[in-house]
Amino acid sequence: GRSGSSRSESNSSGAALIAPLRALGVSIGQSVSARMNVLYADGGGEERRRTGGGSTSESLERDGRAASTIHATTTTTTTRRALEQDVAGVRIAHCSWCLAECAHAQVSEGFLLFRAAYRCGACARRTVPCRAPGCDAHARGANGSTAPRDDDLCLVHRAIIPAWPGLGGSDAGYDAWTKDRLAPKARCSWCLDVCRHALEHVDSFAPAVSSTSPASASSSSNGRSIVGAESFSCGGCARRTVRCETCERSIADGDAGAEENYAFAKAGDARCARCLGVVYDWNAPRDVNAALTRTEPAWCGWCGELCAHLVRDKARAKCQCLVCGGGTAPCERCPGSMRTRERPVVSRNVSSRVRGSASRPSTTGTCLRCEVMHATPSDDEARAVWDTVIARRAAADAASARVRDVLARKTRWSRAAHDAGAWRPFALLATLPPRERVRIAARLGI
């Protein structure tokens, strides 16, 4: 733990939490546990806890308050004890997410080998105490799919950065290097924009950075890690990105134009869109690159939505739906439809059940229109069913614009939501267009 110093008070997030407590006569102190920061009362409170002595009148004189009745003294003591219990789970430490030295509020208790979980007062992310002996900093906690488990060590002890910014006399050059290390600026293969990519997860077995001191880190950019060990989040589209193998190799070899053409690859790809051949020139007009990286609106075989699909390879044989994120590929039979990709193998050959079509291997999925044709006995009925599907979706989109009618309709689901106290979330989802409800359900996996 660290006592209340000028360094911690200078931080805006820590000062915002500590200032109201100081107004009540509270300061930061050292607890019995060396790894837990608690807030003690001023006016000889620490000494009274050690000795158990001190009269009530003397304590009131130190605090500068005169107690005229026993009731006022009892109320003050009870208030202080309740305040100490409320702030006992607060630590002042460096955060491995935002690098700020601020207050961390405890959200869950530890048990045996499990550490207590905290929430950073600056970035509101989950943190856990660093397991390194004598370290007071907080490591990154689990953060969903980007960070599936709690880190054992903080950024410094994992050698991701040599030291915390602002400590050890580091200069502005080192602070800028730290910013570029944890949020490098490059082009994104998803949205094609130049923005910063926040470091979200580092493999536990990743090698340490080559820079081991603030001086060497601030004077050089030799802080890149092995490709594939880190995953990032694009600051523009919030999609997951990784470092491009080819771009990293070009920078290491000192090729001309390597820095200008450096870009991050999509998660799951080893190379960026330019190195894969999907985009020929990053400086080309935006509409040209957008046409190369996206298909025309087509029906998705996963969610059944009519939307564009992201191109994942040069041959445009691997795509990804923009609504549900499922892997798709152009259907050879149905122009304007996308069949499913990377799904369980079809048990038997679908081509034998689709009339007038060429043979198709059983390892590929079917598109939405192929399934409609397979479920109907004749071609005329298949076309009629398909036209009905399109008409019903258009009618649903038109009906979704009448929000008042949807809210006024009484159903058993609306009554159940009202009885459960979840009317607002129900009304929000019920008034969304069908395509938006499908998108949310697909993202949630329901």
Side-chain angles (χ1 to χ4, degrees):
R2 182 176 287 110
S3 62
S5 60
S6 59
R7 187 186 304 113
S8 62
E9 294 177 1
S10 62
N11 185 276
S12 59
S13 302
L17 179 63
I18 297 172
L21 301 177
R22 288 199 180 281
L24 295 176
V26 178
S27 64
I28 302 175
Q30 187 74 17
S31 67
V32 177
S33 175
R35 299 183 58 81
M36 175 67 72
N37 286 326
V38 296
L39 303 180
Y40 290 126
D42 281 340
E46 176 68 15
E47 185 65 25
R48 289 196 302 273
R49 286 180 181 82
R50 294 177 181 175
T51 61
S55 62
T56 304
S57 59
E58 293 177 355
S59 62
L60 293 175
E61 291 177 359
R62 293 193 193 98
D63 294 341
R65 293 185 294 267
S68 58
T69 61
I70 299 177
H71 174 71
T73 304
T74 306
T75 303
T76 304
T77 304
T78 305
T79 303
R80 288 187 177 277
R81 289 178 179 177
L83 182 60
E84 290 176 4
Q85 293 177 359
D86 292 339
V87 302
V90 177
R91 297 187 60 181
I92 306 298
H94 280 96
C95 175
S96 292
W97 287 108
C98 60
L99 304 184
E101 187 181 25
C102 57
H104 295 251
Q106 183 176 346
V107 295
S108 65
E109 297 181 356
F111 178 73
L112 296 179
L113 298 179
F114 296 95
R115 293 167 292 177
Y118 294 80
R119 178 176 288 107
C120 176
C123 63
R125 288 191 173 186
R126 173 188 168 95
T127 61
V128 291
C130 178
R131 292 187 183 274
C135 181
D136 298 327
H138 275 214
R140 294 185 174 188
N143 188 30
S145 59
T146 57
R149 58 181 296 272
D150 296 336
D151 290 345
D152 292 332
L153 304 175
C154 63
L155 295 182
V156 174
H157 284 96
R158 293 194 65 181
I160 296 177
I161 58 175
W164 297 107
L167 297 181
S170 59
D171 53 3
Y174 174 71
D175 295 342
W177 179 91
T178 304
K179 182 178 180 180
D180 292 336
R181 176 69 181 91
L182 299 180
K185 190 175 183 179
R187 193 177 295 273
C188 175
S189 295
W190 291 102
C191 59
L192 307 180
D193 291 335
V194 178
C195 52
R196 292 197 174 272
H197 299 253
L199 179 63
E200 295 290 345
H201 179 67
V202 181
D203 190 2
S204 300
F205 301 98
V209 296
S210 55
S211 296
T212 57
S213 64
S216 61
S218 60
S219 60
S220 64
S221 60
N222 193 18
R224 301 183 185 275
S225 64
I226 302 299
V227 177
E230 301 174 347
S231 62
F232 298 81
S233 177
C234 175
C237 61
R239 290 188 174 96
R240 186 180 176 188
T241 57
V242 295
R243 294 188 183 272
C244 175
E245 294 179 354
T246 307
C247 293
E248 289 286 338
R249 192 179 305 111
S250 300
I251 290 181
D253 297 340
D255 297 343
E259 291 288 347
E260 292 77 7
N261 294 321
Y262 185 85
F264 274 71
K266 302 174 183 177
D269 295 343
R271 294 179 293 173
C272 64
R274 178 178 175 274
C275 296
L276 286 174
V278 178
V279 175
Y280 301 102
D281 185 10
W282 290 122
N283 298 323
R286 183 177 180 83
D287 55 348
V288 174
N289 288 336
L292 293 174
T293 56
R294 296 189 180 187
T295 65
E296 294 294 331
W299 295 97
C300 175
W302 289 107
C303 61
E305 284 293 331
L306 180 62
C307 59
H309 297 253
L310 292 172
V311 179
R312 300 299 298 266
D313 63 345
K314 184 178 181 180
R316 304 176 74 87
K318 294 182 179 180
C319 302
Q320 184 176 0
C321 177
L322 276 176
V323 174
C324 64
T328 57
C331 182
E332 296 83 0
R333 284 181 199 77
C334 308
S337 297
M338 306 291 288
R339 59 178 175 83
T340 56
R341 182 175 57 85
E342 298 177 355
R343 68 179 303 178
V345 178
V346 179
S347 59
R348 51 192 174 196
N349 199 333
V350 185
S351 60
S352 61
R353 301 178 336 203
V354 180
R355 294 160 304 281
S357 62
S359 62
R360 187 167 85 179
S362 60
T363 56
T364 58
T366 58
C367 72
L368 186 63
R369 188 172 183 180
C370 290
E371 293 181 355
V372 172
M373 293 179 63
H374 167 66
T376 52
S378 63
D379 294 340
D380 294 338
E381 292 181 4
R383 284 191 292 268
V385 171
W386 182 250
D387 294 340
T388 303
V389 171
I390 297 177
R392 291 184 63 181
R393 296 188 68 83
D397 290 340
S400 63
R402 302 181 179 90
V403 179
R404 293 184 179 274
D405 296 341
V406 175
L407 295 177
R409 187 172 53 186
K410 302 299 182 181
T411 62
R412 65 187 183 96
W413 302 110
S414 62
R415 289 191 295 269
H418 183 272
D419 296 340
W423 167 250
R424 283 192 175 184
F426 173 81
L428 175 62
L429 293 176
T431 54
L432 287 176
R435 64 183 73 254
E436 291 297 327
R437 293 201 296 267
V438 171
R439 182 184 65 84
I440 295 176
R443 293 299 183 184
L444 294 177
I446 56 177

